[in-house]
Structures are given as structure tokens and as C-alpha cells.
Amino acid sequence: MKQVLPERITALRDELFAVESETCMERAKALHRSYAASEGRPSVIRRGMAVRDILINVPIYIREGELLVGSRSSRLGWRTAYPEYDLNAPKGEPWPEEVREYFAGRTIRDTTNFLYTDAIHNAERELAAGYVTGSGTGFGHMIVDYEKAITRGFRSIIGECEERLGGAEDPAKRDFWTGAILACEGIIAWANRYADLAEAQAEGADAARAAELRDIAATCRRVPEYPARTLREALQAFFFVHIALHIEQKGWSVSTGRFDQYLYPFYRADIEGGRLTRDGALELILSAWIKFMENVDNTVRRTTFQNLTIGGQLEDGSDASNEFSFLCLTATRMTGFNQPALSARWHRNIDPAFWRAVMETIATGVGMPALFNDEVIVEALKRHGIDRADVWNYGIVGCVEASVPGKMQGMTAGGHLNVAKALELALNDGVSQLSGQRIGPATGDAREFASFEEMLGAYEKQAQYLMAVNIEAANIAGSVQKLKGHCPLASCLLDNCVERGADMVEGGTKYNLSGTGIFGSSNAGDGMMALKKLVFEKKLYTMAQVVEALKADFAGYEAMRQMFLNQEHRFGNDIGEADAMVNRLCAIHADFAALHPDTRGGHFTCGIWPVDGHVGSGTHTGALPDGRHRGEPIVDGVGACQGRDISGPTALLQSVARLNNVEHWAAGNTCNIKFSKTSVFAPGGIANMENLVNVFMELGGQELQINVVDAQTLLDAQENPGDYRDLVVRVAGYSAYFTTLSRKVQDEIISRTEQVAG
Amino acid sequence: MRGIIFDIQRFSTHDGPGIRTTVFFKGCPLRCFWCHNPESISPAPEVLFTREKCIGCGGCTGACPARAIENGQIDRTRCTGCGGCAAVCPSRALKLYGREVTARDVLREAERDMPFYARSGGGVTLSGGEALMQGEFAGEVLRLLRERGIRTAVDTAGDVPYSAFERVAGAADLFLFDIKTAEGWRHERGCGRGNARILGNLHRLCQTGANIRLRVPVIPGFNDSAEAMRAIGGVIGGLPGRYPLDLLRFHRMGAQKYAALGIAYRAEESAPPDDEAMRGFAKELRPYCAEAMIL
């Protein structure tokens, strides 16, 4: 069913999309004045004070036609500036002179860099490990307890802090509650400023808009200070919190958790009370989608990774999807926005009508929702200490990282590890083939390796070394956050920070983990399989020949490269031995990570969320025995290497489901498949897609995202085949990689796609 | 016993209901000029050469016992289809189509996607080539699949002795039966043989109460007219029941394979019929069948 966007929403969207974004310095200036005045006081108090001072002082605006208000910057669509984190990101930021002078040399980035070891710098330079979230930003990557903010209000939270402060002697705790109260007062004052502004604007507005503005004013007087009573108040409270979290810290992947769960009671009460129609509710949700889009920081790949989770289970295991879940899907279908990033939780008892609506949303080509398996994720989190009583309520953070709303700082993206690079180092005694510098330990001359076990031993040492470097980097960054990265506002909405009187950067949250992003597991697996089969078993080549060929990036060794590329034991083809190799290699870093504590009382976990990092990491990775040339992208998730799953999607998904998802990938992983519109809209196409997904989940797959691409995308793939190596299209009843087809066949597929799409 | 097949394709979605695995049998009695699987026609193994993939290593030349190949250039009069060249080709520019397998081999491959069949109502389709040219082998494969609880379909052009149908009749859940044209002379011109036996077989198969889905390929310059469709309608209208029907749009996806086999592609200049034309043909046939779908 095609629905037309309300005019109000179209106008808000068009105005936003027309903005030529620049940097808004209002936050930076207010923060600087606040910091200058709070010199010498404990960090958590300074941070709470800064939140309050920013929210009281920065200019605010209300857009024509808005129903929900609030903005990070003082001008629509402009970037917000965070001088306390990093003066050099983005490059060339026109900082006011006094701001630059004040923060130069004392940003979180400066301090972290100062503490970083040479080993970390070396690994980061080649994107082998490191690049820790929190090294020049805040942690971000969390789901706070929005429900608490909506249903309790900040006045009550202030009351709790004051009560605890009254009877406490521990100065550290007193500091936390003091900072928290300042931050909470700030957000209340900020909302009241919007109420004042709305009232002022109502004076000159026409009757209809004046009524809306008075509603806005009344809403902002009420929330987030006091409990919300209607869906509109709840959504407004949500956005005051959500946006203020982005003002408090420079962090992305601040995610909503289970939006359809905590907002549904308000929706239902409004509908039943006759206060709201379904269309009225949809307009509010579309207004919310506009707010998510406004909150995009376009310095970070034009997204802020605001993930929004729908579906899944209730505590008793029954299905959680409701009318509000459907409305979220509808809003994404209608807007086509990439924010919020929708995630849908699957379980065996999911409502089939909801799941079909999920499939139909994917089929529009919007690339969402991403699909998550409750059964796997719940088990994976339990292994890392999350209680059964909390884990069922998980939501997705950022790309694919599961977190417990309001109880966990998972610091996913707590660093990265390129295991394809680890294989390169193992083949070259720790020396990078790109820089010629030693960045790993000496593990022996690979030309002399006489057995596969020796090769594996070298790989193990390199992978563990890089993981250790990463852990060191993450813990240095974590210590710097403890020093000056406090987030008292977020901490008020994360159990048990208020109770313990400890900020989340100090480990105040109930659950703490540090996720490490792994790159290139399939490249490492395929490369090791090629060595095992072609060198150590079939003896087609010696290790000396292989090492020479890799050094030469296969120049003069094309036949060997082709043998590596085409050897049949490749991950993603439902070949048990190849799949087992990837599991064997991943156990190395997953087990190692779990043994190491982080700075907040948690430990390290592993996940895969390359976003587009597989391209950059590939640039810094030498030739590998999987047949990949130096500099080519590495695999973009847990799938097969680009173009190497030659046995079709059922085989690919069986391989991916065979990964030790529970044991190795608690921090999430991602498997991408792309379909052309032709295949999805063929008779039975959506049912086939749904069946494919459901079986994948039943087999123990963790996550799946499906892109359904249109003719325009196929044309782009013809021009830029390198970007589309994983694009599967239907060729007369079977799947093939688009970029491997001849131009003529491609043209024919494009013409068919247009026919169907048109 | 052993049969010869050239491919097993997983996640086939157009050869019967649900998610399926299609087993392509090698060998076909017909010579349809539009055939999109030219490697299926000969019952003997054949080597296909994809020039774009060749890296010119020369490995094939040395590996050929019949001295029939030089850097991918195959002398088809000397080639015995032994596949020695393909075995050493690092880039898979040379690939052998046609391998002898047992029914158990086929079962083992087919079993891999069983969870997907169960969920989607899918199963295994025997196609080709003409699967029923190897009727006894096809029957054995179908029986093994059945025993394993896998639903089965046979995709056939029907130009085989009826005894071949009898060999598989008890073990096939569905027949996908091609009707290319109603007119014998046209069939002979386009496919190399008349269609009397095909239509006779279809009638007899219908009498057995078999589950049948008709398939009409729409081929430009051959049967892409309302009259031709009405004539086909006449034939299926005369069958003892009303059957569902798929209209299959002509495509040129097989063009590369003709080049790889070193033979001429006679449908090079034809263009696929557009959506409107396909809808028109479906409308012509609809009165004569249970449903008419466009694939």
C-alpha cells in the first residue's frame, strides 16, 4: 500500500535536505565559558555543569510546522562542535581563537595520543588494530533507559540524587550526584526555553499554527521534568533526552532500544481514550523520523547510527510486536530515511503478519530493517554475564551490537583488529608488506614452515599480539575517559550509576563490556585453507614460492593467484572444513579477548561491523593467499569473500549459521546479501526471501541484512564493479554475481529490473 | 547405475514451488534455436572455454592427451571431453560440463538444503537437457529423494518414449511440461523435430492423474503472437483437466555459453518480449488453464 507523506513532513524534509551544512560553534563557546569557570573542580561536576550551561545558553529554534522540537545545534542541519574531545576532527574546523587556545594540548585526543605506545601508533598507522572509540570522542554506543526518563521525569531523578547526596560521605559519590543534578537541571531548563519560545512564536502565528505552538509549549513545560501522559509528551521527552545525550558527549551509535515497547502503552492509551487517531500517531512518528534525520552528524558518513529496535520477545517469551511496531515500519517505508536505522528481532513465535511487513519493507529497497536472532543473541550475552532477567530486553546499538537498554555500557567499537593483516604478518615474520616496517612480533621465516601447524602457530601469535595492542589502546582511551570524559546525564539513565554514585565511564553501569571489531575473518580463513590444501597437502607450491608471490603481489604468479582464488575450500559455500577453519581462527581472538579486563570492570568481546572500514583496511593489507591483491577490499562482514560464494544464498547462509555465533560474536556480526528487485517481485519472491531468512535464523544465524537494489543501482554497478562484488542477481532462475556477467547479460537484467520496478 | 549431469543449482526458485535444488541432466533430443543451456544438448561431457577468464598460462596445452587444445583454442573434432585441461586450468576459464554420478551422489548434494525445502514447500527438480532421456536413472534419483522425504519435480520437454514417464511416474510429485507450439511444422522448424510424440505423451500423462504444470516459453519470431498462443490454448483446452501454466520469457542469458562452446547462437538478434506483450499472451491462455503466471 502506497501512502503519501503528509505535507507537513515533506516540507520539513525538503527544508532539511536543502541545508548546506557548516559547523555551529555555539556549543563549543558555551562549553568553553563553562570549563573556564569550573577549573580545578572534579571532572564529573565540570561535565554536569557544562551540560547545564550549554543547554541554558545556546540559541534554540523551532521550525515552521514542527510538532516535536529540539536540536543539537543552533541552526538546522549544522554540525555540532566538541572541542574538548578533538580539535583536529574534522580537519580545518574554524575554532574560535579562545576555544582553540583553551583546549589545545588538553583534548581527550591529545591526552590519549600522549599515552599511546609506539606499538599502538604503529598498528593504527596501518589500520591493523586500534582506532578505539573514545580515543578522540566519547564512548557513544549505548541505549539509555528512555523509559525511565519518560515515565519518571528528571525532577524525580534529581530528587533521588539529592536524597543520596544528603546521607553520603564518599567524596567521589558526592561529586557524581552533584554533577548529575546539574545535568538534570540543565535538561529541564532547556525544555522550558522551548516552551517560552513556542509561546512567543504563537503570538504572531496564524490561528492553526498558534494552537500547535501552544500545545508544544504545554508539552515542553511538562516533559522531561515530569512523567509523560500522552504519546506526544512521551516522544517529546524521548527527543529531549536523545538530543541532550548528543550534546553531552561527542559520540555516535546512541541508540533508542525498543522504541515499539516503551512507547506502545502511550499509543494505546491515546487511541483508546479517543485522543489520537492512527493517522495522527503516524504523523507524530514521521515527525520523530525527521528528528532522527536532523540529528545526523554529517561528518560521520552521513549517519549517526541511531539504531531503533522493534519486534522480538517479551519476558515470558511471547511475541512483542504490536501496532506501534507496524507504524515504525510504515514510517521507514514512507520516508526512505536511513535514520533511524531499523532493526527487527526474530524469534520462533514472531507474528507472521509483522514479519511479512518486515520483508515488504526490505523489498522496497531501503535496506532495512536488519534482522536479528533472539535465540543466538540472548545466549551470547548470557555467556558474558548478562542476567536472564535483563537479557530478553536487548536492543541493537549502532550497526549490529546488542546491548541491554538502561543497564549496559558495551563500548562496542572499542577498537578494531584486522585479522587479514595478522595473516599477512604471519607470512612475513611480523613485517608489514605495505610499509616494510615491523609491526608484529617475529614469528619466524614463513618460507621455512614445514607444516600447517607451524603456519597456524605464527598466525595465532600475530592475531593475539594485535588483539593485545588493541586492548591496550582501548584501556588507555578508557582511562582518559575516566579522567575527563564523564557523562553524568547519560549515567542518570544507566543502572546502577545513580545507586552507586559512579559515572558510566567509571564503570557505574550494571553491565560493562568492550567490543572489538574484527575485520577480514573470511580472508584469513580462506587464505589459511589455501595454504593447507595447496601447499601442505597437495604440495603444488612451496611456502617459499608463496611468500615470494605475495611479496610481488602475484606479479609473475597469476596462475598461482588463480589457483588460490578458485580453490574450492572457501568460506560461504557450505563446505564444512572451510567453515570450521574460520571458527578455529576466530576462537583465537575471541578467547583471548574474553580473558582481558577493561577499565570499567568488564572485559573484551568480539564482533564484526565493518560499515565501510573493509575498504580502508583492505588498502592497508598486502596480498594474501586467498588470491586477493594488495590493497583490495577485504570481506565486508561474516560472509564470503567478495564473489567467492559461488554456491548461492542457501549455501552462504548455512556457512554463516555454522559460525560459532554464540561463542565468538557476542558483540554482533553482520552478513550482507543483495537481491535485485526482479527476484523479489517475481511470483513468490517475498515468500522465498522470508523462508530463506527464517531457515537461516532457525539454523543459528545471528544477523542478516538484505539489500534489494533497483535498476539505477545496477547501472552504477556496471560503472563501478569494485563496489558491488557481492551483488547477487537472478539470472533465469538462479543467482549470479552481477559483476561477473557479461555486459550484454547485465544490460538485459537492468532492462528487466526496470520493467518490474516500473 | 550412473547418470550424466552437468550442474546442480541450489536456490532455484522458478522450477516449481518454493526453494529448490535443480539437477541438470545432460543430453536432449531437441535442438531449439533459443536454448539457453546449449551445454545441455549433447549427452557427452564437453569443455567450455570462457575467453575473458583465460590468463594464457598454457597449462591446458600440455595437459591434453589428445593434443586438441592450445591456449584455450579447442579442436572440437579431436577433443574427447576427458576434462584434463579443465583440471589444470587455474582460472576456471576451461570447465568440464558433464560428470557421471550415482543417484546417491545426487541425493547427497540435494540433502544440503533440506531445511529450506521444508520451510518453503520446495524440493528438488530434475531438469536438463532432458531428464527423461535418462529415465531409469531419473527414476532412481527420484525414489531416493522420496525416501528421504524430499518433494520432487521433473521438468520435461516430453519428447521421449512414454516408457520413460512410466519409470518416474510414481516418484515425481510434479511434472513441469513444456509446450512450445501447437503446430507440428513450426515445432520441427524451431526445435528440429515435430511435436506429435510430445502431445501424445502429455495426453497420456494427464490420463494418469499426474500433477502437472504447463510451461510455455515465449520466443520472438516463433510463437510470440496471439494466434500462436490461441493455438496452444486449443491444445491445452483439449486436455482432460485444467492445469496451471507458466509463461517463460525468452532471454539471452545463455549467449556466453554458445561462445564458450564455439557454436553459433541463432537467437542473437531476438529481444525479450516486454511486459505488456507477456500480459497479452497470458490473457490469451487464461481461458484454457487453471492459472497463467508470467515468470
Side-chain angles (χ1 to χ4, degrees), chain B residues 100-135:
Chain B
E100 285 203 355
V101 292
T102 66
R104 292 230 162 261
D105 294 334
V106 175
L107 176 68
R108 238 188 324 274
E109 275 296 303
E111 278 173 340
R112 291 174 161 269
D113 278 350
M114 280 185 68
F116 295 95
Y117 311 151
R119 249 293 176 177
S120 66
V124 172
T125 300
L126 309 189
S127 182
E130 174 55 65
L132 296 183
M133 262 181 99
Q134 305 177 56

Side-chain angles (χ1 to χ4, degrees), chain A residues 714 729 731 741 745-753, chain B residues 253:
Chain A
L714 296 178
V729 291
V731 184
L741 300 169
V745 174
Q746 289 178 347
D747 287 342
E748 196 148 327
I749 289 171
I750 290 169
S751 69
R752 278 193 314 174
T753 305
Chain B
M253 311 282 183

Side-chain angles (χ1 to χ4, degrees), chain B residues 14 176 213-217 244-248 291-293 295:
Chain B
H14 293 176
L176 302 168
R213 194 168 180 98
L214 301 169
R215 316 258 281 183
V216 176
L245 177 146
D246 296 325
L247 278 163
L248 311 175
E291 61 166 356
M293 305 266 280
L295 292 189

